Each structure stands twice: as structure tokens, then as C-alpha cells.
Amino acid sequence: MLGLRRIIVWFARIGHCRGFGVQSPWAYRMVRYVINEHYPYYAYGPLAEAFPCHDAVTRKLRELCLRLANHVQPRTVTAYGCADSAVEAYVKAGCKAADYKEAPCGAVQGAAGTADLALIWPGAGAGKAFAAVADGARDGTVAVLFGIRGDKDMRRLWRGAVAGLKGVVTFDLYYCGLVFFDGKRFKQNYIINF
């Protein structure tokens, strides 16, 4: 049933493939060479053997974390509401120098908002975690909101990020949402067939 759902989502978003309709050169490069990069990265094989996935969506999201870490080269990565060692391995494969921390969504400390790359999973306190990241965000900070179509709290959080924040560029990948904080860019939301 999950495979049928993936096919339906893919066909519903077919007009948003490979950067079609994206006018910004920066956003186009992000879509083509980070989000929808199909070239096999150096670490995909060993990581897939070490952390086998039961479904294609989980694999794609882990690989996206690797590509984002490789692109952003964050000093600090904070994963809120996730205790998956595979995600840490994928992020570290993308940026070996990154300081990776895990935090429960409900336990947001003052310094938690200073992450260069924040990975936020659904759960109690996800909104508080995103608010802390948004408050401490500087140009170049990236937040990834997983499960933006899953439960109503994450849908509400995603809609708020798209509509309410200034100085952000967002990418709706259906399974997750990417929020790039940059005061120099015009606010824009891109729907991408991921």
C-alpha cells in the first residue's frame, strides 16, 4: 500500500520535477544538485549495508540528510525527537567535522537554537524545537521538518513556517520540508517532486 501511495504522490507532483518552474538560480541548483541529485554519492553503498532500510522513503530521507550535510557543511547539527544512529551516520558521512547532538523535542535548551542544521521529527514539542531554531537562526541555517503531512501538529507547524516566517526559502518535498534561513532572499515556497 505504501508503494501505491508513493506512486500517487509522484504523479500528483509530476509538474514539479527536476527544477521545472524554479526561476531562482540558487533554488534551481538546490533542487537539481542537492534535493533531487540521482548520482550515487561515495557513502551510499557502505551506509546502506550498515543500516538497511525497510522502505524507499526512509532511504531517500537518510540520503537527503547526507546531501544536505555535504552541501551546508554545518558546524553543529541537532536532531530533535530522533534517536536513530543511521541518521547520525549519514550526516557524519556528509560532513565529518559536524558536531552531531540529539535532543528530545520537549527539552529545548537556550543554546539549542544555534544549530547550523536542525533535523526535527514529529512529536510533542516539535513546535517548540522549531521556534528555538528559528529564534537562533542566522543566514545559512537550515531546518528539516520531517512528516509534514503526517499529523495535524506537523501540518500546522509547516504551514506556519511557510506563511509566517520572513527571510526564509522553503521546499515542500511532501515527506519533509526544508527551511533555509537567509535574510537576503525573497520569501518563497517551492513544491518539489522528491
Side-chain angles (χ1 to χ4, degrees), residues 92-142:
K92 289 292 230 171
C95 181
K96 293 184 184 346
D99 179 25
Y100 186 91
K101 298 179 228 167
E102 293 177 352
C105 279
V108 178
Q109 293 98 16
T114 61
D116 296 319
L117 177 61
L119 309 172
I120 303 172
W121 273 265
K128 187 188 289 187
F130 182 69
V133 170
D135 287 343
R138 54 188 177 271
D139 287 353
T141 299
V142 180

Side-chain angles (χ1 to χ4, degrees), residues 5 17 43 45 53 58 68 70 79 84 100 124 127 130 136 151 154 161 174 177:
R5 180 176 172 208
C17 287
C53 295
T58 302
L68 277 172
N70 189 37
D84 186 2
Y100 186 91
F130 182 69
D151 63 5
M154 287 305 284
Y174 187 83

